[in-house]
Amino acid sequence: MTLPPDAPGPSVPHLLLGVCDYPEQVLQDRWAPYARQQRELGLSFVRIAEFAWSRMEPRPGEYDWAWLDEAVETYAAQGLRVVLCTPTATPPAWLVRAHPEILPVDDQGRVREFGSRRHYDFASPVYREHSRRITRAIAERYGGHPAVAGWQTDNEFGCHATSRSYGGASAAAFPGWLEKRYGSLEALNAAWGNAFWSMEYAAWDQIAPPVLTVTEANPAHALDYARFCSAMIAEFQAEQVAILRECSPGRFVTHNFMIFESGFDHYEVSRGLDFATWDNYPLGMLEFFAPPGYEAQKLEYARTGHPDLVAFNHDLYRGLLAGVPGRLGRGGPGTPAGPWVMEQQCGQVNWAPYNPLPADGAVALWTAQAWAHGNDVVSYFRWRAATAAQEILHSGLLRHDETPDRGHAEVAALDLEGFPAGEVPARVALLHDYESLWIYDLQPHSAGLNYWAQTLAYYSALRALGADVDVLHADADLSGYAVVVAPAITLMTPERAARWTAAVEAGARLVCGPRTAFRTVSGGTPEGGQFGPLAGLLGARLLQFDSLRPGLETRVAGPGGEHEAFAWAESYRPEAGTAVTHRYVGGPLDGQAAALCRPGGQGEGVVIGAHSPALIAEVLRGVLGRAGVDTTDLPPGLRLSRRAGRTLLQNWTAGPLTWNGIQVPPVSFQVRPD
C-alpha cells in the first residue's frame, strides 16, 4: 500500500501531534472510526502494541498477526504514521509459567509475580532469547511497511522499581561482571575498602547483591551493583536495537523514558537510539516524583504541575543524545528528528496519591512547553479511557463512553503552525550524572535532601532568572557555553576535572554545588579530601559539613544580604587567589567560607557550599551577568522558554500575572517573537 497524497511531506516545519492507542483492547468495529477521528483532530502519529505480546503470540511459537495487520492498515488508510513497539515489557503468562526463572526479585528477596507488567530480569539469558525472538518476528513482519515511521523499544525501563533485580539471573551474573571489571579479588577488595568491617572476599562466588544486610551495605558495593544493573539494561536494549536496524532500515528507533527515573544510566542505555522520548505526567509528577522541598507547592500547582519539574525533564531528554553523530534523519518523509513526548497527560491520571483534574488550559500549556523545550512531537496518552483493568481511572482524549473529554477540545484548538521547528538557544549548560546520583543518594546524610532536590534547586533558579538551559552529561563537550552549572556532581575523575578546567580556561564560568568532587570512581573520598582533582581549579579544600534538620538554622551573609541554609551546609579553606564571597553567620560554621570564586584562564570557578535557594539565585544572577547572559526576575509561576526565534511566555498559576507590561491570563501561554 502507499500513503494517501495528503500524508506529511518531506520536511516538518512545526510541531506534530500523536496519540497512544490500543486496538487490542476495543472491538474491531471501533478501529476505523477512531483512526478517522484521530486524523480529523490533527494527529499525525499513533503508537501501538507495547503491551500486546499475548495477542501477537497467544501460545509458544504460534503467532497471530491478522489483528495487527488490520490495525496498521486502518491507521494507514487515514494517513497516520505508526510507531510500533516491541512488546517485551509484558511477557505473557505462558512464558512466565514455562520459565519462572525470568521473574525479578525485589530488594526484600521476594519474587515479583505475573499479573501486572515489567515482570522480568534484564540479565536472564532465557528472557533475552525470547526478547530477541519476538523483536525479530514483529520487525520482520512490519519493518518495511510504508506506514511504519519508527519503533519504540519495550516500555518505560525502570518503572515500578524494576531496573534492578536482586536475585536469580542478576545475582548469578554479578560476580562475573565484577571479575571482568576488576580482574582480581585483591583489586576489588582494595577499591571497595573491604578491610572495613572485615568485608573482604576470598572467592568471586561469595559476592551477592547488596541487600538484606544488617545495616547499610558498603556504598562501593551498591554503586557497582547499580552500574551492573544499568549495563544489563543497556545490553538488553542494544540487542533489540540491532534487530530493528537490520529488519527495518530507514526507520527511527527510540525508547520512552520515565520521570526522574534513577535506576539506570540513561546516557548509556540510549546509545544507538535516534532520539529520546519520555512520558510527561505533570500532575502525577508533582504528587509522586517531586524531590524533597516541593511539599508546600503541591497544593499551589496541583492542577498544572510545577513548571520547573516538567521543564527539567524536557531538557534532560533533549540533551540525552547531544553530540552523538549520525543519529538523525531516519523515519522517512515527514518524520521529525526528535525528541518526542511519547505519552502526554491529557486529563487525570490514576497512579499518584491524589489525582486531580487538570486546570482548563493545562493540556495546551503542557503541549506548548514541550515544543519550546525542543520536542518535535507530542503524543497524548491515551485515545480512549480504558474500560477494564488497572488503568480504568486514567483519562484519555475520549471518555469511557467515547465522547470527547476536556483535553480533546484543547488539542483541537491548538495552532500547530505557531510552534515552528528550530533550535533551543541555550548558553547555559547544567551537568548531570547518574553515577553521582547513585552515590549521593546511597548516603544522603540529610533526610531533607537528595540528588534531584539539589540539582533542581539550581535548575529552578536559572529558570526563574529567565535562562534557557541545556542539561548535559558531566563529561559532555562544553565548548560554546558561557556558564556551566554542576549542582551535584559528587563523583569526580581526573579526566572530568581536566575537561572542566579546560572549559574554564577557555572562558566558561563554572558553578559547583555542595559535595562536588567528594567521591572517587570507586565511591570513596579522595586521599587529599574534597575537591580532589578539582582542587586546583576551585582553589579550596573542604573544612566542615553540617547536616541540618528542620529548624536548625544556619545563615549565610554576602553582598545580597543574609540567606537561610536548609538541610546541608559545608565550609572551605580557601587558597591564595580564591575570593570568599559569602560566609556563615552563627552556629558552628560561623565566619567560615560558604561560597568562593576563583579566576582561571578567561573564566572562573565558583563554589556554593550551602543549600539555600536564595543564595543560589544571588550567586547565579551575578555569574550570568559577568558571562553576558541576560537575566530577568520572573514572578513565581511565570516562565520563559525560547525556540526557533520565538519566546514562549507561560503562566502556570490560577491567577493572572504581569511581566514587562505583558499580562498573561491564568494557566495560559503566549508565543512572541524574540
Side-chain angles (χ1 to χ4, degrees):
M1 54 83 60
T2 59
L3 290 175
D6 62 340
S11 63
V12 177
H14 55 69
L15 179 72
L16 297 179
L17 304 179
V19 71
C20 306
D21 201 5
Y22 298 88
E24 73 275 16
Q25 297 177 16
V26 299
L27 295 175
Q28 189 167 344
D29 65 4
R30 311 317 301 143
W31 297 359
Y34 286 176
R36 184 184 68 253
Q37 292 165 18
Q38 290 160 7
R39 186 63 170 170
E40 290 171 351
L41 185 59
L43 308 183
S44 298
F45 296 92
V46 59
R47 184 198 71 172
I48 61 172
E50 76 269 28
F51 299 134
W53 193 340
S54 63
R55 287 294 176 94
M56 296 176 191
E57 189 181 14
R59 284 163 291 278
E62 181 181 318
Y63 296 106
D64 179 5
W65 300 115
W67 70 273
L68 190 53
D69 289 349
E70 181 63 25
V72 171
E73 293 297 336
T74 299
Y75 295 120
Q78 292 297 325
L80 294 164
R81 307 297 303 281
V82 175
V83 179
L84 272 174
C85 305
T86 63
T88 48
T90 51
W94 61 258
L95 178 54
V96 172
R97 298 306 175 224
H99 296 285
E101 69 272 21
I102 73 174
L103 292 170
V105 178
D106 72 8
D107 59 4
Q108 299 302 305
R110 301 168 299 194
V111 174
R112 307 188 79 169
E113 249 294 353
F114 176 82
S116 181
R117 63 182 186 177
R118 302 224 49 80
H119 43 281
Y120 67 86
D121 184 329
F122 285 98
S124 168
V126 174
Y127 193 63
R128 291 272 193 93
E129 177 185 351
H130 283 278
S131 166
R132 293 190 296 269
R133 183 181 58 79
I134 191 65
T135 298
R136 182 169 292 279
I138 191 174
E140 286 181 343
R141 187 163 189 92
Y142 301 103
H145 197 293
V148 173
W151 297 87
Q152 174 194 297
T153 61
D154 203 89
N155 186 78
E156 295 182 337
F157 289 149
C159 190
H160 319 301
T162 57
S163 59
R164 299 170 193 169
S165 173
Y166 294 95
S170 284
F174 183 47
W177 183 89
L178 290 171
E179 185 173 10
K180 184 177 180 180
R181 179 177 177 87
Y182 288 101
S184 70
L185 287 164
E186 292 77 13
L188 179 141
N189 284 323
W192 287 9
N194 283 340
F196 189 81
W197 285 357
S198 188
M199 295 185 293
E200 292 168 303
Y201 295 102
W204 293 106
D205 61 8
Q206 295 172 358
I207 306 174
V211 291
L212 300 176
T213 53
V214 173
T215 183
E216 65 178 299
N218 184 341
H221 185 174
L223 176 61
D224 268 343
Y225 199 73
R227 288 168 169 149
F228 159 75
C229 291
S230 181
M232 295 302 100
I233 299 175
E235 289 180 7
F236 181 89
Q237 168 99 303
E239 290 174 354
Q240 291 197 4
V241 171
I243 293 168
L244 295 171
R245 296 285 187 222
E246 174 192 347
C247 299
S248 190
R251 275 76 177 176
F252 69 76
V253 181
T254 188
H255 178 79
N256 59 327
F257 293 98
M258 285 277 294
I259 301 163
F260 291 117
E261 169 57 39
S262 302
F264 61 94
D265 187 333
H266 291 49
Y267 297 100
E268 177 184 31
V269 171
S270 66
R271 290 174 187 161
L273 300 181
D274 293 296
F275 51 83
T277 70
W278 76 287
D279 297 346
N280 181 24
Y281 295 91
L283 304 192
M285 182 192 309
L286 180 60
E287 281 288 351
F288 190 76
F289 290 103
Y294 283 85
E295 193 63 35
Q297 300 180 67
K298 288 185 177 181
L299 184 59
E300 181 180 1
Y301 292 100
R303 298 198 185 278
T304 60
H306 194 284
D308 299 335
L309 296 182
V310 183
F312 177 84
N313 281 275
H314 284 313
D315 292 342
L316 168 64
Y317 291 117
R318 186 180 75 250
L320 204 61
L321 286 158
V324 178
R327 64 182 179 89
L328 304 178
R330 297 187 180 95
T335 303
W340 293 27
V341 174
M342 190 62 83
E343 297 182 14
Q344 173 61 66
Q345 179 178 353
C346 60
Q348 74 277 8
V349 301
N350 71 306
W351 43 263
Y354 302 95
N355 299 288
L357 278 171
D360 289 338
V363 175
L365 175 61
W366 298 332
T367 304
Q369 187 202 34
W371 159 77
H373 285 256
N375 291 281
D376 287 342
V377 175
V378 172
S379 172
Y380 300 98
F381 185 88
R382 46 186 280 164
W383 176 244
R384 179 186 176 187
T387 58
Q390 282 93 328
E391 294 182 350
I392 200 169
L393 292 173
H394 201 296
S395 64
L397 289 172
L398 301 186
R399 299 183 181 91
H400 300 100
D401 66 359
E402 300 183 296
T403 58
D405 209 339
R406 297 160 72 243
H408 186 286
E410 294 186 31
V411 173
L414 290 170
D415 175 14
L416 297 184
E417 292 185 0
F419 304 130
E423 297 300 314
V424 174
R427 298 183 62 205
V428 179
L430 184 140
L431 304 185
H432 164 51
D433 169 44
Y434 287 95
E435 292 191 340
S436 289
L437 185 162
W438 297 332
I439 195 63
Y440 187 120
D441 286 357
L442 281 166
Q443 294 180 309
H445 209 57
S446 173
L449 199 59
N450 64 13
Y451 174 93
W452 287 125
Q454 185 164 308
T455 299
L456 262 294
Y458 286 74
Y459 179 85
S460 193
L462 290 166
R463 283 291 171 191
L465 290 167
D468 292 294
V469 182
D470 284 343
V471 177
L472 301 176
H473 189 273
D475 293 328
D477 179 7
L478 302 177
S479 58
Y481 290 100
V483 175
V484 177
V485 181
I489 306 301
T490 191
L491 193 150
M492 187 56 55
T493 66
E495 296 78 14
R496 181 171 293 172
R499 186 174 291 107
W500 291 12
T501 300
V504 170
E505 290 176 348
R509 298 177 188 274
L510 173 70
V511 181
C512 299
R515 302 197 215 189
T516 294
F518 185 68
R519 301 282 196 163
T520 66
V521 71
S522 66
T525 59
E527 291 295 331
Q530 189 182 359
F531 294 93
L534 272 184
L537 175 63
L538 300 179
R541 299 278 182 176
L542 176 68
L543 185 58
Q544 306 280 176
F545 56 79
D546 194 10
S547 175
L548 306 171
R549 67 170 289 109
L552 191 60
E553 183 175 288
T554 293
R555 302 191 69 80
V556 178
E562 290 193 4
H563 308 296
E564 185 176 354
F566 304 90
W568 188 265
E570 62 188 40
S571 63
Y572 309 110
R573 298 191 305 268
E575 298 175 355
T578 301
V580 177
T581 61
H582 296 77
R583 295 186 182 273
Y584 291 102
V585 178
L589 304 183
D590 185 51
Q592 296 178 19
L596 308 168
C597 179
R598 183 179 180 88
Q602 301 179 59
E604 64 184 13
V606 174
V607 181
I608 303 172
H611 186 70
S612 167
L615 172 64
I616 294 167
E618 179 190 330
V619 172
L620 286 176
R621 183 183 291 105
V623 171
L624 292 168
R626 294 194 295 275
V629 178
D630 292 337
T631 63
T632 181
D633 290 322
L634 298 174
L638 192 76
R639 289 293 181 262
L640 302 177
S641 304
R642 301 170 184 87
R643 185 184 185 188
R646 304 192 184 188
T647 297
L648 184 74
L649 189 59
Q650 311 146 54
N651 181 356
W652 291 69
T653 75
L657 293 174
T658 301
W659 173 78
N660 279 6
I662 304 168
Q663 186 171 79
V664 188
V667 194
S668 70
F669 64 88
Q670 297 178 19
V671 181
R672 308 181 69 87
D674 286 349

